[in-house]
Amino acid sequence: MLGSIKQYVFSGVRGHYKDETNRRIVVVNLFAAVGMSITFLLGTRAFIDAEYPLAITLYTASVVFAFSQRIQVRFPSPKARTLSVSLLIFCLMILTLLLLITGGKDNTGPLWIYLVPPVTMFFAGFVRGLITLIAYTIVSAIVLFGFDESTFVASYTYAFKTRLLYSFLTVSFLSAFYEYSRQKSYDTALYLSEQFERQAKHDHLTQLLNRRGAQQCLEREYAGMLRNNRKLSIAIADIDRFKRINDTLGHEQGDEVLRQISNVFSSRLRAQDVLARWGGEEFMFIFTDTDEAGAVKALEYIKDKLNKAPLNINGSDIHVTSSFGVSEVSADVGISCAIRLADQALYYAKDNGRDCVCAASSLDTQSLAKN
């Protein structure tokens, strides 16, 4: 029994949805269940009391509540969720307006209109909820004051109608204020969470992905490579004689060198390729849909551009070079192995003159063992 209830409450919830989306799905499930149950029970009582029009109205509302819940479960999409919520709000509003007109049981029908503001604000959000509530308030005012008393089944005193409308406006205002505050708090929390997540994955100096972000990107691209049988290559670049630059210009200017070189590297990449700061003066390139030869060609182009474009540091031009080690990732050569091979190729390039691109496949076993 408890398992079935839990399954119903969390039906439609998905792990990849945002917490706010899943929370709304759960609330829709609960509200639909409560609305369906109450309207069915009240409809049954009205039927027993031979109040057939009221019974039919309540039974219809019960069916609509159930149907709206099934929509978001059977069709998991933003449009379906919007339709589901719209049906719930529309059904609630029509039902309460009918109860306002007919009086319901012993003229207690108008009491149900206080459900409208909080439900509408929660499901529709502040802006759409406010517009919807304004329209509902206008219609309710027309129903209460725009017709002769003889046109209604129920009869209310003027004092009751005015106090009903004033209290409804008060509840609407409080619901709108609460929803506005809740959305602002949620947006702020979401923004801070995204900022913290970005800081955790990005290098503060170059604004590139850091080592952690690069690892996550590699895992994602590797999974896509295996799934779609694509090519994937990586490269590690190291700034030549960077310690000399730091010792000569100072660490602050050394940081500026890293920033400018990261701009040179990233400006020469395709949109689908990724550049990350791997650590210190090392950078990692992730080339999607590219074999080792293609990565070597791209890096030769980047190396030549770096050689021909001196960096401007404090008004002075300085020439900086970089060495590159390249390796192709495959089903047989996983991420860790490819990183190790690229690192070995990089050290081979550094030991053999610097300012060059070295592919791991071009090195023999003896060279790799030495490095």
Side-chain angles (χ1 to χ4, degrees):
M1 182 64 178
L2 290 177
S4 299
I5 294 175
K6 184 177 180 181
Q7 183 178 1
Y8 172 86
V9 170
F10 292 98
S11 57
V13 171
R14 299 289 187 273
H16 60 277
Y17 288 167
K18 293 181 178 179
D19 290 341
E20 178 76 356
T21 300
N22 282 329
R23 189 167 67 89
R24 288 181 180 274
I25 290 174
V26 169
V27 175
V28 166
N29 291 339
L30 290 171
F31 183 80
V34 172
M36 177 178 59
S37 301
I38 291 177
T39 51
F40 181 82
L41 291 174
L42 292 176
T44 301
R45 180 170 180 177
F47 183 82
I48 294 172
D49 293 341
E51 297 175 343
Y52 300 120
L54 178 60
I56 293 173
T57 300
L58 292 169
Y59 281 145
T60 303
S62 181
V63 171
V64 174
F65 282 134
F67 179 68
S68 63
Q69 189 271 341
R70 296 310 301 169
I71 288 177
Q72 75 166 7
V73 174
R74 293 292 298 276
F75 306 99
S77 69
K79 288 184 178 180
R81 290 194 294 273
T82 300
L83 176 60
S84 175
V85 166
S86 299
L87 270 178
L88 283 176
I89 295 174
F90 180 76
C91 179
L92 179 63
M93 287 185 169
I94 294 298
L95 180 60
T96 53
L97 283 174
L98 288 175
L99 291 172
L100 189 65
I101 293 172
T102 63
K105 181 70 173 177
D106 298 329
N107 271 11
T108 59
L111 298 177
W112 293 98
I113 70 170
Y114 296 113
L115 289 175
V116 174
V119 171
T120 302
M121 277 296 170
F122 179 82
F123 286 139
F126 176 73
V127 176
R128 287 186 296 176
L130 188 61
I131 294 172
T132 305
L133 277 181
I134 290 174
Y136 180 83
T137 302
I138 293 173
V139 173
S140 299
I142 292 174
V143 167
L144 289 171
F145 301 102
F147 299 94
D148 295 333
E149 292 287 340
S150 59
T151 59
F152 291 95
V153 176
S155 178
Y156 309 111
T157 65
Y158 180 81
F160 175 83
K161 291 188 290 186
T162 54
R163 282 157 179 76
L164 179 69
L165 191 61
Y166 293 154
S167 58
F168 177 80
L169 289 172
T170 301
V171 174
S172 297
F173 170 77
L174 293 175
S175 298
F177 179 77
Y178 171 79
E179 180 60 22
Y180 176 79
S181 301
R182 190 195 66 81
Q183 284 190 7
K184 282 295 182 182
S185 299
Y186 175 78
D187 292 342
T188 300
L190 184 62
Y191 172 77
L192 291 176
S193 176
E194 290 174 348
Q195 287 298 106
F196 289 145
E197 184 69 16
R198 175 177 172 78
Q199 290 174 5
K201 295 181 181 179
H202 287 75
D203 172 53
H204 72 281
L205 179 65
T206 61
Q207 303 306 311
L208 300 174
L209 288 175
N210 57 19
R211 195 182 190 96
R212 176 187 174 188
Q215 288 279 13
Q216 292 182 358
C217 180
L218 276 172
E219 292 171 3
R220 184 173 62 251
E221 293 297 335
Y222 182 67
M225 180 204 75
L226 295 177
R227 186 170 55 251
N228 302 311
N229 194 26
R230 300 183 308 178
K231 299 291 185 179
L232 177 65
S233 294
I234 64 170
I236 300 177
D238 183 84
I239 309 304
D240 294 331
R241 299 182 176 89
F242 186 72
K243 185 178 184 304
R244 181 186 299 177
I245 295 174
N246 263 339
D247 293 341
T248 304
L249 301 178
H251 289 283
E252 185 175 341
Q253 303 310 319
D255 289 346
E256 181 61 25
V257 169
L258 290 174
R259 275 192 290 265
Q260 292 195 25
I261 284 183
S262 69
N263 291 334
V264 174
F265 285 169
S266 53
S267 66
R268 305 299 183 223
L269 292 177
R270 302 171 301 176
Q272 65 265 37
D273 297 328
V274 176
L275 176 66
R277 187 180 179 191
W278 193 239
E281 66 271 22
E282 289 187 344
F283 295 84
M284 172 171 280
F285 295 81
I286 303 174
F287 295 100
T288 59
D289 296 313
T290 307
D291 58 14
E292 188 184 73
V296 169
K297 183 177 179 181
L299 291 169
E300 289 284 1
Y301 173 75
I302 291 173
K303 178 179 71 69
D304 291 342
K305 288 295 181 181
L306 181 63
N307 290 341
K308 295 175 182 178
L311 306 182
N312 187 284
I313 307 297
N314 274 356
S316 301
D317 290 342
I318 67 170
H319 289 271
V320 179
T321 62
S322 179
S323 302
F324 304 84
V326 189
S327 176
E328 184 172 340
V329 186
S330 66
D332 296 327
V333 180
I335 295 174
S336 298
C337 182
I339 292 174
R340 185 171 64 254
L341 290 173
D343 202 45
Q344 291 172 338
L346 170 64
Y347 277 102
Y348 185 86
K350 301 283 283 187
D351 290 342
N352 288 270
R354 299 184 176 88
D355 190 23
C356 62
V357 180
C358 181
S361 62
S362 67
L363 304 180
D364 56 31
T365 305
Q366 184 177 0
S367 297
L368 289 176
K370 186 193 305 181
N371 287 287

